[in-house]
DNA sequence: CTGAAAGCGCTTACAG
DNA sequence: CTGAAAGCGCTTACAG
């Protein structure tokens, strides 16, 4: 079998021009069957597709993006995947994106603001069509870099406090309110709020909601604030030891921990020190972290609507991409959290 | 202030040539300070850096990858992020990659083999430097597509059964053995293995390990296999109802569920039906899924070394990328799982 | 409906 | 150490 003037069949991946030659058409036509199928006659199109298949051609998206000034990918930058709310949001965004035929690329930031920033830049470098950003702290510098470059961005689970970008958040104030209300309705009168004194938006807002619920009781219920070293199980243990060391009369009869992990830590240690949960102290978390540590009781908490968070954010982003920044109006969508009652507050 | 012949300062993102003009050098030099700093004199380099900073230049990685035939990114395709072993692996891979200065892009596959395949293709299209693939079933077609194109690939948590690629797996046979051994050591004599009859590698292997442990007892211990509809909590509930319906003497005194979610479902339902766990029946999972549903007891399980899985896989991949396919020898790394004893087997 | 040609923004030999 | 020029693999007007 002679191969007169075709290139020797090396192992080199097929390029678009190889497909064109194989199908006996020009590269423009191959590109058209890929990008504008309606511009190509059916027969030609079929022939080209067969060549693509035959040669195992996979288009170089770098060249493609370069040639038409931007990729069709969407980036998702998440501050940390360990917290299940972000993970759920990622999954919600993923399935919404795919349903719309978009490719979602995720980058985790290992809980490091600097890494987050570099992830944002790397997506800028890739000229993504849009970006979903799920931060834990003020990221306006990064948002500015994006908008300057006309990269649509939607904030996930963080209120940017400006109208320069869309955002989808859960009502953390309501989460706090719902939590405190639940304990008050159960007849608890001495609530302790366990959190940290870092400047984290969700913490501030949940605290505010809890205070609001307590204030409504006109002094019938007292609120104590306990500051933990961090948001993890170990700090929950420490707080439990601190509480157990007090006279029984000085102890709270309910604990709202700002994270489920803190709540779990409290419960495990309290049990070991002879405190009955929920008998002596009802305990709950407020972040519905399904990745939280294991616990001897199921934990009452407040759902954070993770999947919906991601799905709605992706929809807002797609709207902005489609309509362009001029016709698009930025929105701020607020989702309402829901109470989940479990064994740690109700026997 | 006159701007004689510079381009009007539009909102257009700065390109490399803008940086070059601003710094008064050629584009080649700018490229060199970015890619080969040693080739550029210190003063020039500093000047260029200042221009980059000043103009907010972010290099177009599409153009960059196109020009030098491949990106520096690494892709990670995970069949599903809901299972914490994959999530942990992703985090392990991420931090190892970053430590080495590599950018890791993740794509989730929503538990859909077709989506997985398209994720692999999209990373091929992006000309990534290498790929980490965490599948649940035979993916040799995808692996072949990758190796044909000289894209290094490392399998995560799946044994490809060939030596065409590196892989990192946990010893699932050992996981099964350890689980059964634990129950036998506790004095249990009638073990039930709850799993599915799908063709999933980890399931087969864990079953094999369990059988091995039981066989070693020379008939002192019996093994019953129970087939669930799927791997989730609801099926665990159903199995518990089925077991509870039997005469007490016909029930197993220990249950190994192939997933933690099945185990949790079993425990919750069994408790509601008056079966004491672990008194009447000791129950455990074997996949250390920290995202598993909440449970009234902490769950005995077998750790799957998720982070290490991802970290080791990334190291193998970097080795293959650095040394090229010729000097690189494919390896198969097997990690050993560990027993975690909790309340669901030991009171 | 199809083809030839210019151009996307970089990088890399190659000369100087 | 630096600059001018070719080329990476596509896409898109533009002519036919």
């Amino acid at each position: 079998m002679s191969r007169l003037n075709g290139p020797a069949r090396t192992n080199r991946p097929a390029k678009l021009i190889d497909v064109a030659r194989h199908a006996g058409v020009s590269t423009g036509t191959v590109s058209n069957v890929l990008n504008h199928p309606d511009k190509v006659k059916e027969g030609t199109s079929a022939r080209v597709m067969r060549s693509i298949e035959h040669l195992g051609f996979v288009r170089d998206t770098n060249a493609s993006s370069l040639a038409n000034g931007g990729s069709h990918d969407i980036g998702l930058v998440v501050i940390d995947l360990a917290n299940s709310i972000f993970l759920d949001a990622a999954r919600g965004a993923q399935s919404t994106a795919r349903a719309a035929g978009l490719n979602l690329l995720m980058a985790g930031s290992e809980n490091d603001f600097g890494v987050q920033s570099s992830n944002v830049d790397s997506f800028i470098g890739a000229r993504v069509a849009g970006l979903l950003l799920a931060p834990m702290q003020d990221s306006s510098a990064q948002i500015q870099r994006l908008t300057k470059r006309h990269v649509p961005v939607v904030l996930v689970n963080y209120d940017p406090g400006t109208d320069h970008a869309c955002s989808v958040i859960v009502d953390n104030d309501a989460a706090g309110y719902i939590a405190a209300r639940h304990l008050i309705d159960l007849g608890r009168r001495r609530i302790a709020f366990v959190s940290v004194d870092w400047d984290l938006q969700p913490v501030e807002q949940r605290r505010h909601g809890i205070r609001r619920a307590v204030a409504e009781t006109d002094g019938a219920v007292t609120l104590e604030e306990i500051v933990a070293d961090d948001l993890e199980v170990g700090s929950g243990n420490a707080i439990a030891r601190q509480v157990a060391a007090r006279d029984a009369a000085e102890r709270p009869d309910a604990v709202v921990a700002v994270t489920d992990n803190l709540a779990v830590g409290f419960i495990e240690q309290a049990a070991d020190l002879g405190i009955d949960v929920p008998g002596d102290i009802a305990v709950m978390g407020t972040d519905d972290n399904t990745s939280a540590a294991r616990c001897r009781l199921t934990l009452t908490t407040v759902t954070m609507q993770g999947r919906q968070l991601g799905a709605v954010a992706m929809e807002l982003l797609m709207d902005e991409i489609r309509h362009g920044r001029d016709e698009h109006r930025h929105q701020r969508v607020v989702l309402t959290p829901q109470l989940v009652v479990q064994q740690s507050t109700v026997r």
Side-chain angles (χ1 to χ4, degrees), chain A:
Chain A
M1 183 154 298
S2 72
R3 250 187 291 134
L4 282 181
N5 42 19
R9 183 160 313 158
T10 76
N11 240 342
R12 163 179 70 71
K15 300 184 294 186
L16 190 140
I17 197 176
D18 300 322
V19 174
R21 284 209 253 267
H22 186 271
V25 298
S26 75
T27 59
T29 299
V30 177
S31 180
N32 275 335
V33 352
L34 257 21
N35 302 307
H36 312 281
D38 45 306
K39 290 189 181 173
V40 183
K41 211 166 36 177
E42 180 123 351
T44 316
S45 192
R47 194 148 37 90
V48 169
M49 291 306 271
R50 250 178 284 124
S51 298
I52 288 176
E53 188 70 25
H54 178 79
L55 298 173
F57 169 71
V58 177
R59 170 172 42 173
D60 185 329
T61 51
N62 296 121
S64 175
S65 301
L66 177 59
N68 63 21
S71 88
H72 289 143
D73 290 346
I74 302 237
L76 167 61
V77 175
V78 176
I79 184 63
D80 186 25
L81 285 169
N83 191 318
S84 71
I85 186 174
F86 292 124
L87 177 61
D88 289 343
R91 302 211 301 146
Q94 162 82 48
S95 76
T96 303
R98 176 148 296 275
L102 290 171
N103 194 34
L104 211 223
L105 261 17
M106 304 187 271
S109 308
E110 302 171 70
N111 251 319
D112 181 322
F113 190 68
V115 174
Q116 175 186 305
S117 178
S118 107
N119 282 332
V120 168
D121 284 345
S122 96
F123 279 128
I124 289 178
R127 303 296 187 259
V128 291
L131 191 79
L132 257 29
L133 178 61
M136 278 290 263
Q137 50 189 298
D138 180 56
S139 305
S140 34
Q142 292 162 37
I143 296 171
Q144 233 175 63
R145 255 181 284 150
L146 288 160
T147 49
K148 241 181 209 153
R149 293 163 170 283
H150 306 263
V151 180
V153 54
V154 175
L155 278 276
V156 178
N157 197 39
Y158 194 90
D159 190 344
T162 75
D163 56 353
H164 295 326
C166 285
S167 58
V168 189
I169 53 182
V170 319
D171 189 339
N172 277 302
D173 182 280
Y177 182 86
I178 288 168
R181 193 68 243 166
H182 169 60
L183 296 169
I184 294 166
D185 289 346
L186 288 173
R188 305 292 168 156
R189 291 295 171 259
R190 299 185 309 281
I191 298 178
F193 177 52
V194 178
S195 63
V196 290
D197 58 3
W198 311 339
D199 182 30
L200 295 179
Q201 202 181 62
V203 174
E204 296 312 320
Q205 295 176 347
R206 288 177 206 168
R207 170 180 293 124
H208 186 265
I210 290 171
R211 285 184 177 161
R212 192 157 53 85
V214 169
E216 285 178 7
T217 67
D218 286 326
V221 172
T222 61
L223 177 63
E224 172 191 1
E225 307 238 2
I226 302 181
V227 176
D229 290 338
D230 60 39
L231 298 165
E232 302 308 320
V233 175
S235 293
N237 295 151
I239 302 297
R241 282 192 296 272
Q242 179 190 313
V243 166
R246 306 182 191 173
D247 287 345
E250 301 291 314
R251 296 176 191 158
D253 59 8
V255 165
V256 185
V258 76
T259 63
D260 286 9
N261 270 325
L262 275 174
V264 168
F266 186 95
I267 291 170
E268 291 296 317
Q269 183 69 262
D272 290 348
L273 296 172
I275 293 176
D276 179 37
V277 176
D280 300 327
I281 306 181
V283 180
M284 64 182 296
T286 62
D287 71 350
D288 189 33
N289 186 351
T290 55
S291 304
R294 295 254 156 77
C295 184
R296 66 184 70 203
L297 299 168
T298 55
L299 189 71
T300 296
T301 189
V302 182
T303 64
M304 289 289 117
Q305 320 280 42
R307 284 195 74 102
Q308 214 190 335
L309 213 45
V312 172
M314 183 56 80
E315 267 154 20
L316 291 175
L317 187 62
M318 295 188 311
D319 182 83
E320 185 166 348
I321 291 171
R322 263 198 276 280
H323 295 125
R325 59 149 53 184
D326 298 325
E327 297 167 44
H328 170 86
R329 294 204 82 80
H330 290 316
Q331 291 177 55
R332 185 167 161 281
V333 177
V334 180
L335 304 178
T336 304
Q338 222 95 46
L339 180 68
V340 183
V341 179
Q342 299 277 14
Q343 299 165 336
S344 68
T345 56
V346 177
R347 197 182 307 270

